[in-house]
Amino acid sequence: MALFSPPKYVISVLNRLECKGFSAYLVGGCVRDLLIGRRPADWDVCTNALPCEIMSVFEHSRDTGSKHGTVTVFVGKSKVEVTTFRSDGKYTDYRRPESVTFIPDLKGDLARRDFTMNAIALPLSGLAFDPFGGAVDIENRLIRCVGEPNQRFNEDALRMLRALRFSAVLGFEIEESTLEAIGENSLLTNFLAAERVCSELQSVLMSSKPELISQMISLGLLTRYIKDTQEIDLAALAALPKSRAERWAGLCALLLQSKMISNPEDFLQSLRLDSSTVHKAACGVKLSLSEPPSSKLMWKKLLSRHGTDCGKCTAAAADALYGTEHTKKLRSVISSGECYCLKRLKISGDELLELGFRGKRLGEVLYELLDHVLAHPNDNDLEVLLSLATDIAKSDGL
Ligand code: ATP
Ligand code: MG
């Protein structure tokens, strides 16, 4: 028995197409996930209806790539991507086909898909169409190319990264000839846009098997970003919190330690990671490499200067490098709720305005009060802080 079943709005889309005389199937990741017993992330439908026919069947639909046969159908607040059966034309840049052709048959559509587990079609009748043996591969937890692996990776190099991503996320093995072909074609990933590489790499990093990044490196899939292809022990990453910046900090710390990158910021920027994540992760790595603060007060000072997010990245990088024993103090300060930043200070700029402080001086006094609270946590109380601020106002002559 399947654990999950398609929601009503998805069923209604399949139903409607069938009622109008078209064939319609669930296809791709959602069928794979249903068979595995995972909740599908999104629902894709394929059909023999042409894009213009799909749009005439559904009042609320939008052309979101009809050149590739895709129409988005809206049902209430939900949406389903409906794609016409197609076959891909010639590939010339290792990324995407020069043209696509709409075709009448389902098998041809499934043949263009990457892996057997992603090439199963499920109609409303519930009888799966599985011409490439995807269900057996799912049962054996195997990732296998549809067709000849060398050719499929030559067409689109992203498929190699997807194989590693599915292996990490689903915990599946990569079938032997598929893996061999990845090793032979890995350098073709140099033709891919950095954003697409980053997205697959990040999915591996955030999975429960982030150590597979070592295999991505040794297979040569990341040579544009990490020159070295030696194996590296990344086992420590799996224990880090599932937060993007913290995991990137952990990865950078280990790569830096092994001299596989020379500068975390440059490395992350080359992957076109967003600037806020780059800043937090790189700051965390840098702080983790300096002498750790000797006291709780010093940890709080560090946090007040760099903020909670950089603090968490510092802990993640240090955990990856030295083990969690070293960062207990830092993590306990962050989770204790103790005040180390203006946000947690019980007095704000409004009260200081009332006491007569203005502009730059107001900011200085807030930080003076914060410094006081770092050393005297019990004084983080509005009345106590008001009285301290009043004393400062008097000595300022206000
Ligand atoms: P996810 O769970 O991440 O959504 P998915 O397999 O559904 O995984 P999508 O990117 O949503 O991935 O793609 C939907 C389907 O389109 C895939 O299952 C596969 O059949 C096909 N597909 C996607 N990308 C490729 C590709 N690069 N080459 C061949 N087929 C692909
Ligand atoms: Mg999907």
mmCIF file of all heavy atoms in Angstrom, residues 27-30 32-33 38 40-42 44 88 91 95 112-115 117-119 152 156 158-159 162 165-166 196, ligand 1:
data_model
loop_
_atom_site.group_PDB
_atom_site.id
_atom_site.type_symbol
_atom_site.label_atom_id
_atom_site.label_comp_id
_atom_site.label_asym_id
_atom_site.label_seq_id
_atom_site.Cartn_x
_atom_site.Cartn_y
_atom_site.Cartn_z
ATOM 1 N N VAL A 27 4.217 11.566 -13.621
ATOM 2 C CA VAL A 27 5.509 11.120 -14.147
ATOM 3 C C VAL A 27 6.652 11.775 -13.363
ATOM 4 O O VAL A 27 6.449 12.804 -12.703
ATOM 5 C CB VAL A 27 5.606 11.482 -15.655
ATOM 6 C CG1 VAL A 27 5.781 12.978 -15.869
ATOM 7 C CG2 VAL A 27 6.722 10.708 -16.366
ATOM 8 N N GLY A 28 7.831 11.174 -13.431
ATOM 9 C CA GLY A 28 9.020 11.790 -12.844
ATOM 10 C C GLY A 28 9.124 11.563 -11.345
ATOM 11 O O GLY A 28 8.702 10.525 -10.824
ATOM 12 N N GLY A 29 9.658 12.586 -10.659
ATOM 13 C CA GLY A 29 9.972 12.462 -9.233
ATOM 14 C C GLY A 29 8.780 12.055 -8.374
ATOM 15 O O GLY A 29 8.949 11.321 -7.396
ATOM 16 N N CYS A 30 7.570 12.507 -8.737
ATOM 17 C CA CYS A 30 6.429 12.191 -7.861
ATOM 18 C C CYS A 30 6.109 10.694 -7.891
ATOM 19 O O CYS A 30 5.788 10.109 -6.845
ATOM 20 C CB CYS A 30 5.212 13.056 -8.193
ATOM 21 S SG CYS A 30 4.526 12.821 -9.840
ATOM 22 N N ARG A 32 8.302 8.288 -8.579
ATOM 23 C CA ARG A 32 9.422 7.676 -7.846
ATOM 24 C C ARG A 32 9.167 7.755 -6.340
ATOM 25 O O ARG A 32 9.246 6.754 -5.625
ATOM 26 C CB ARG A 32 10.717 8.427 -8.221
ATOM 27 C CG ARG A 32 11.957 7.951 -7.484
ATOM 28 C CD ARG A 32 13.038 9.038 -7.554
ATOM 29 N NE ARG A 32 12.678 10.221 -6.804
ATOM 30 C CZ ARG A 32 12.852 11.479 -7.206
ATOM 31 N NH1 ARG A 32 13.392 11.731 -8.366
ATOM 32 N NH2 ARG A 32 12.484 12.483 -6.440
ATOM 33 N N ASP A 33 8.819 8.957 -5.866
ATOM 34 C CA ASP A 33 8.634 9.140 -4.431
ATOM 35 C C ASP A 33 7.440 8.331 -3.901
ATOM 36 O O ASP A 33 7.497 7.795 -2.793
ATOM 37 C CB ASP A 33 8.486 10.627 -4.098
ATOM 38 C CG ASP A 33 9.816 11.370 -4.258
ATOM 39 O OD1 ASP A 33 10.869 10.696 -4.309
ATOM 40 O OD2 ASP A 33 9.810 12.609 -4.329
ATOM 41 N N ARG A 38 7.960 8.201 -0.035
ATOM 42 C CA ARG A 38 8.331 9.568 0.408
ATOM 43 C C ARG A 38 7.233 10.509 -0.045
ATOM 44 O O ARG A 38 6.586 10.263 -1.052
ATOM 45 C CB ARG A 38 9.591 10.055 -0.311
ATOM 46 C CG ARG A 38 10.851 9.385 0.042
ATOM 47 C CD ARG A 38 11.956 9.926 -0.875
ATOM 48 N NE ARG A 38 12.633 11.078 -0.317
ATOM 49 C CZ ARG A 38 12.905 12.197 -0.960
ATOM 50 N NH1 ARG A 38 12.519 12.363 -2.211
ATOM 51 N NH2 ARG A 38 13.551 13.174 -0.372
ATOM 52 N N PRO A 40 6.026 13.333 -2.173
ATOM 53 C CA PRO A 40 6.555 14.022 -3.357
ATOM 54 C C PRO A 40 6.635 15.535 -3.149
ATOM 55 O O PRO A 40 5.768 16.118 -2.498
ATOM 56 C CB PRO A 40 5.533 13.682 -4.445
ATOM 57 C CG PRO A 40 4.877 12.435 -3.986
ATOM 58 C CD PRO A 40 4.821 12.544 -2.488
ATOM 59 N N ALA A 41 7.698 16.130 -3.690
ATOM 60 C CA ALA A 41 7.888 17.580 -3.550
ATOM 61 C C ALA A 41 6.942 18.331 -4.491
ATOM 62 O O ALA A 41 6.435 19.398 -4.152
ATOM 63 C CB ALA A 41 9.338 17.939 -3.869
ATOM 64 N N ASP A 42 6.746 17.803 -5.681
ATOM 65 C CA ASP A 42 5.840 18.445 -6.630
ATOM 66 C C ASP A 42 5.230 17.359 -7.520
ATOM 67 O O ASP A 42 5.683 16.214 -7.514
ATOM 68 C CB ASP A 42 6.573 19.509 -7.469
ATOM 69 C CG ASP A 42 7.921 19.007 -7.957
ATOM 70 O OD1 ASP A 42 8.076 17.782 -8.158
ATOM 71 O OD2 ASP A 42 8.831 19.836 -8.162
ATOM 72 N N ASP A 44 4.132 16.249 -11.324
ATOM 73 C CA ASP A 44 4.251 16.518 -12.757
ATOM 74 C C ASP A 44 3.367 15.558 -13.532
ATOM 75 O O ASP A 44 3.286 14.368 -13.206
ATOM 76 C CB ASP A 44 5.707 16.331 -13.218
ATOM 77 C CG ASP A 44 6.613 17.406 -12.632
ATOM 78 O OD1 ASP A 44 6.156 18.556 -12.515
ATOM 79 O OD2 ASP A 44 7.764 17.087 -12.275
ATOM 80 N N ASP A 88 13.797 14.920 -27.250
ATOM 81 C CA ASP A 88 14.755 16.017 -27.341
ATOM 82 C C ASP A 88 15.568 15.909 -28.624
ATOM 83 O O ASP A 88 15.924 14.818 -29.056
ATOM 84 C CB ASP A 88 15.686 15.989 -26.125
ATOM 85 C CG ASP A 88 14.916 16.279 -24.848
ATOM 86 O OD1 ASP A 88 13.864 16.949 -24.928
ATOM 87 O OD2 ASP A 88 15.358 15.829 -23.772
ATOM 88 N N TYR A 91 21.907 17.559 -28.814
ATOM 89 C CA TYR A 91 22.542 18.355 -27.755
ATOM 90 C C TYR A 91 23.888 18.816 -28.285
ATOM 91 O O TYR A 91 24.650 18.023 -28.816
ATOM 92 C CB TYR A 91 22.789 17.500 -26.516
ATOM 93 C CG TYR A 91 21.552 17.194 -25.713
ATOM 94 C CD1 TYR A 91 20.658 16.207 -26.106
ATOM 95 C CD2 TYR A 91 21.278 17.881 -24.527
ATOM 96 C CE1 TYR A 91 19.532 15.906 -25.351
ATOM 97 C CE2 TYR A 91 20.164 17.589 -23.767
ATOM 98 C CZ TYR A 91 19.293 16.606 -24.186
ATOM 99 O OH TYR A 91 18.185 16.316 -23.438
ATOM 100 N N ARG A 95 24.386 20.756 -22.249
ATOM 101 C CA ARG A 95 23.451 21.324 -21.280
ATOM 102 C C ARG A 95 21.988 21.110 -21.641
ATOM 103 O O ARG A 95 21.197 20.679 -20.854
ATOM 104 C CB ARG A 95 23.697 22.828 -21.115
ATOM 105 C CG ARG A 95 24.866 23.117 -20.219
ATOM 106 C CD ARG A 95 25.064 24.580 -20.038
ATOM 107 N NE ARG A 95 25.500 25.207 -21.260
ATOM 108 C CZ ARG A 95 26.020 26.416 -21.309
ATOM 109 N NH1 ARG A 95 26.155 27.118 -20.216
ATOM 110 N NH2 ARG A 95 26.409 26.935 -22.452
ATOM 111 N N ARG A 112 13.579 10.012 -22.817
ATOM 112 C CA ARG A 112 14.449 11.199 -22.722
ATOM 113 C C ARG A 112 14.799 11.522 -21.277
ATOM 114 O O ARG A 112 15.620 12.386 -20.992
ATOM 115 C CB ARG A 112 13.748 12.408 -23.346
ATOM 116 C CG ARG A 112 12.626 12.946 -22.475
ATOM 117 C CD ARG A 112 12.073 14.262 -22.921
ATOM 118 N NE ARG A 112 10.874 14.621 -22.204
ATOM 119 C CZ ARG A 112 10.847 15.277 -21.041
ATOM 120 N NH1 ARG A 112 11.964 15.648 -20.456
ATOM 121 N NH2 ARG A 112 9.699 15.560 -20.461
ATOM 122 N N ARG A 113 14.174 10.832 -20.328
ATOM 123 C CA ARG A 113 14.377 11.148 -18.911
ATOM 124 C C ARG A 113 15.682 10.557 -18.391
ATOM 125 O O ARG A 113 16.245 9.659 -18.989
ATOM 126 C CB ARG A 113 13.161 10.703 -18.098
ATOM 127 C CG ARG A 113 11.939 11.518 -18.505
ATOM 128 C CD ARG A 113 10.656 11.077 -17.898
ATOM 129 N NE ARG A 113 9.571 11.872 -18.471
ATOM 130 C CZ ARG A 113 9.148 13.039 -17.970
ATOM 131 N NH1 ARG A 113 9.709 13.528 -16.888
ATOM 132 N NH2 ARG A 113 8.182 13.705 -18.566
ATOM 133 N N ASP A 114 16.169 11.091 -17.275
ATOM 134 C CA ASP A 114 17.537 10.756 -16.859
ATOM 135 C C ASP A 114 17.725 9.333 -16.324
ATOM 136 O O ASP A 114 18.550 8.579 -16.823
ATOM 137 C CB ASP A 114 18.093 11.802 -15.875
ATOM 138 C CG ASP A 114 17.151 12.152 -14.730
ATOM 139 O OD1 ASP A 114 16.080 11.524 -14.618
ATOM 140 O OD2 ASP A 114 17.490 13.055 -13.943
ATOM 141 N N PHE A 115 16.971 8.981 -15.295
ATOM 142 C CA PHE A 115 17.216 7.696 -14.635
ATOM 143 C C PHE A 115 15.950 6.826 -14.669
ATOM 144 O O PHE A 115 14.835 7.345 -14.716
ATOM 145 C CB PHE A 115 17.677 7.922 -13.192
ATOM 146 C CG PHE A 115 18.895 8.812 -13.136
ATOM 147 C CD1 PHE A 115 18.827 10.086 -12.589
ATOM 148 C CD2 PHE A 115 20.098 8.388 -13.686
ATOM 149 C CE1 PHE A 115 19.940 10.919 -12.581
ATOM 150 C CE2 PHE A 115 21.212 9.213 -13.683
ATOM 151 C CZ PHE A 115 21.134 10.479 -13.134
ATOM 152 N N MET A 117 14.418 5.265 -12.467
ATOM 153 C CA MET A 117 13.468 5.540 -11.370
ATOM 154 C C MET A 117 12.638 6.792 -11.646
ATOM 155 O O MET A 117 11.583 6.984 -11.042
ATOM 156 C CB MET A 117 14.229 5.706 -10.046
ATOM 157 C CG MET A 117 15.175 6.887 -10.052
ATOM 158 S SD MET A 117 16.046 7.054 -8.492
ATOM 159 C CE MET A 117 16.958 8.573 -8.844
ATOM 160 N N ASN A 118 13.123 7.658 -12.545
ATOM 161 C CA ASN A 118 12.401 8.889 -12.887
ATOM 162 C C ASN A 118 11.648 8.744 -14.207
ATOM 163 O O ASN A 118 11.161 9.732 -14.753
ATOM 164 C CB ASN A 118 13.380 10.061 -13.028
ATOM 165 C CG ASN A 118 13.970 10.476 -11.699
ATOM 166 O OD1 ASN A 118 13.400 10.167 -10.664
ATOM 167 N ND2 ASN A 118 15.110 11.169 -11.735
ATOM 168 N N ALA A 119 11.594 7.522 -14.732
ATOM 169 C CA ALA A 119 10.986 7.303 -16.051
ATOM 170 C C ALA A 119 9.829 6.310 -15.973
ATOM 171 O O ALA A 119 9.692 5.410 -16.792
ATOM 172 C CB ALA A 119 12.054 6.810 -17.036
ATOM 173 N N ARG A 152 24.115 9.668 -22.470
ATOM 174 C CA ARG A 152 23.183 10.493 -21.701
ATOM 175 C C ARG A 152 23.897 11.604 -20.943
ATOM 176 O O ARG A 152 23.393 12.708 -20.795
ATOM 177 C CB ARG A 152 22.355 9.619 -20.728
ATOM 178 C CG ARG A 152 21.551 8.507 -21.377
ATOM 179 C CD ARG A 152 20.725 8.959 -22.581
ATOM 180 N NE ARG A 152 19.894 10.117 -22.383
ATOM 181 C CZ ARG A 152 18.716 10.146 -21.759
ATOM 182 N NH1 ARG A 152 18.219 9.040 -21.264
ATOM 183 N NH2 ARG A 152 18.040 11.265 -21.631
ATOM 184 N N ASP A 156 23.737 15.923 -21.465
ATOM 185 C CA ASP A 156 23.454 16.884 -20.402
ATOM 186 C C ASP A 156 24.281 16.505 -19.170
ATOM 187 O O ASP A 156 24.003 15.504 -18.496
ATOM 188 C CB ASP A 156 21.950 16.838 -20.084
ATOM 189 C CG ASP A 156 21.570 17.780 -18.946
ATOM 190 O OD1 ASP A 156 22.466 18.416 -18.368
ATOM 191 O OD2 ASP A 156 20.353 17.879 -18.646
ATOM 192 N N LEU A 158 24.502 17.878 -16.344
ATOM 193 C CA LEU A 158 23.865 18.043 -15.032
ATOM 194 C C LEU A 158 23.398 16.697 -14.477
ATOM 195 O O LEU A 158 23.320 16.494 -13.275
ATOM 196 C CB LEU A 158 22.661 18.999 -15.145
ATOM 197 C CG LEU A 158 22.079 19.436 -13.794
ATOM 198 C CD1 LEU A 158 23.017 20.406 -13.093
ATOM 199 C CD2 LEU A 158 20.699 20.064 -13.950
ATOM 200 N N ARG A 159 23.090 15.762 -15.382
ATOM 201 C CA ARG A 159 22.591 14.453 -14.933
ATOM 202 C C ARG A 159 23.578 13.762 -13.993
ATOM 203 O O ARG A 159 23.182 13.027 -13.101
ATOM 204 C CB ARG A 159 22.314 13.559 -16.155
ATOM 205 C CG ARG A 159 21.122 14.054 -16.960
ATOM 206 C CD ARG A 159 20.964 13.330 -18.274
ATOM 207 N NE ARG A 159 19.912 13.964 -19.067
ATOM 208 C CZ ARG A 159 19.812 13.901 -20.373
ATOM 209 N NH1 ARG A 159 20.701 13.208 -21.072
ATOM 210 N NH2 ARG A 159 18.838 14.515 -20.998
ATOM 211 N N ARG A 162 23.018 15.220 -10.684
ATOM 212 C CA ARG A 162 21.728 14.733 -10.178
ATOM 213 C C ARG A 162 21.876 13.311 -9.627
ATOM 214 O O ARG A 162 21.280 12.962 -8.615
ATOM 215 C CB ARG A 162 20.657 14.775 -11.287
ATOM 216 C CG ARG A 162 20.110 16.178 -11.525
ATOM 217 C CD ARG A 162 19.195 16.254 -12.752
ATOM 218 N NE ARG A 162 18.016 15.406 -12.732
ATOM 219 C CZ ARG A 162 16.820 15.743 -12.220
ATOM 220 N NH1 ARG A 162 16.653 16.927 -11.663
ATOM 221 N NH2 ARG A 162 15.800 14.911 -12.272
ATOM 222 N N ARG A 165 23.300 13.597 -6.290
ATOM 223 C CA ARG A 165 22.312 14.197 -5.391
ATOM 224 C C ARG A 165 21.264 13.163 -4.960
ATOM 225 O O ARG A 165 20.945 13.018 -3.791
ATOM 226 C CB ARG A 165 21.637 15.382 -6.096
ATOM 227 C CG ARG A 165 20.748 16.195 -5.167
ATOM 228 C CD ARG A 165 19.284 16.099 -5.528
ATOM 229 N NE ARG A 165 18.977 16.767 -6.774
ATOM 230 C CZ ARG A 165 17.742 16.885 -7.229
ATOM 231 N NH1 ARG A 165 16.726 16.410 -6.538
ATOM 232 N NH2 ARG A 165 17.518 17.457 -8.391
ATOM 233 N N PHE A 166 20.746 12.401 -5.931
ATOM 234 C CA PHE A 166 19.739 11.390 -5.577
ATOM 235 C C PHE A 166 20.361 10.330 -4.668
ATOM 236 O O PHE A 166 19.708 9.826 -3.759
ATOM 237 C CB PHE A 166 19.165 10.742 -6.847
ATOM 238 C CG PHE A 166 18.225 11.649 -7.615
ATOM 239 C CD1 PHE A 166 18.405 11.898 -8.971
ATOM 240 C CD2 PHE A 166 17.153 12.260 -6.974
ATOM 241 C CE1 PHE A 166 17.541 12.728 -9.676
ATOM 242 C CE2 PHE A 166 16.278 13.095 -7.678
ATOM 243 C CZ PHE A 166 16.479 13.327 -9.028
ATOM 244 N N ARG A 196 23.615 26.128 -11.143
ATOM 245 C CA ARG A 196 23.024 24.781 -11.216
ATOM 246 C C ARG A 196 23.901 23.779 -10.456
ATOM 247 O O ARG A 196 23.401 22.895 -9.770
ATOM 248 C CB ARG A 196 22.859 24.346 -12.680
ATOM 249 C CG ARG A 196 21.948 25.298 -13.457
ATOM 250 C CD ARG A 196 21.851 24.884 -14.908
ATOM 251 N NE ARG A 196 20.838 23.854 -15.116
ATOM 252 C CZ ARG A 196 20.768 23.093 -16.211
ATOM 253 N NH1 ARG A 196 21.654 23.245 -17.169
ATOM 254 N NH2 ARG A 196 19.827 22.196 -16.341
HETATM 255 P P1 ATP B 1 12.833 16.357 -7.158
HETATM 256 O O1 ATP B 1 12.334 15.440 -6.099
HETATM 257 O O2 ATP B 1 14.069 17.049 -6.779
HETATM 258 O O3 ATP B 1 11.785 17.295 -7.712
HETATM 259 P P2 ATP B 1 12.678 15.193 -9.767
HETATM 260 O O4 ATP B 1 13.176 13.887 -10.321
HETATM 261 O O5 ATP B 1 11.195 15.386 -9.761
HETATM 262 O O6 ATP B 1 13.293 15.359 -8.346
HETATM 263 P P3 ATP B 1 12.710 17.532 -11.405
HETATM 264 O O7 ATP B 1 13.826 18.480 -11.657
HETATM 265 O O8 ATP B 1 11.477 18.013 -10.731
HETATM 266 O O9 ATP B 1 13.362 16.330 -10.576
HETATM 267 O O10 ATP B 1 12.382 16.876 -12.816
HETATM 268 C C1 ATP B 1 11.201 16.142 -13.063
HETATM 269 C C2 ATP B 1 11.525 14.980 -14.000
HETATM 270 O O11 ATP B 1 12.028 15.489 -15.237
HETATM 271 C C3 ATP B 1 12.578 14.012 -13.513
HETATM 272 O O12 ATP B 1 12.068 13.051 -12.632
HETATM 273 C C4 ATP B 1 13.069 13.414 -14.805
HETATM 274 O O13 ATP B 1 12.152 12.468 -15.295
HETATM 275 C C5 ATP B 1 13.040 14.614 -15.733
HETATM 276 N N1 ATP B 1 14.330 15.365 -15.714
HETATM 277 C C6 ATP B 1 14.662 16.426 -14.953
HETATM 278 N N2 ATP B 1 15.879 16.864 -15.228
HETATM 279 C C7 ATP B 1 16.370 16.068 -16.209
HETATM 280 C C8 ATP B 1 17.579 16.030 -16.945
HETATM 281 N N3 ATP B 1 18.568 16.900 -16.703
HETATM 282 N N4 ATP B 1 17.705 15.079 -17.902
HETATM 283 C C9 ATP B 1 16.702 14.196 -18.145
HETATM 284 N N5 ATP B 1 15.535 14.185 -17.491
HETATM 285 C C10 ATP B 1 15.355 15.104 -16.529
#
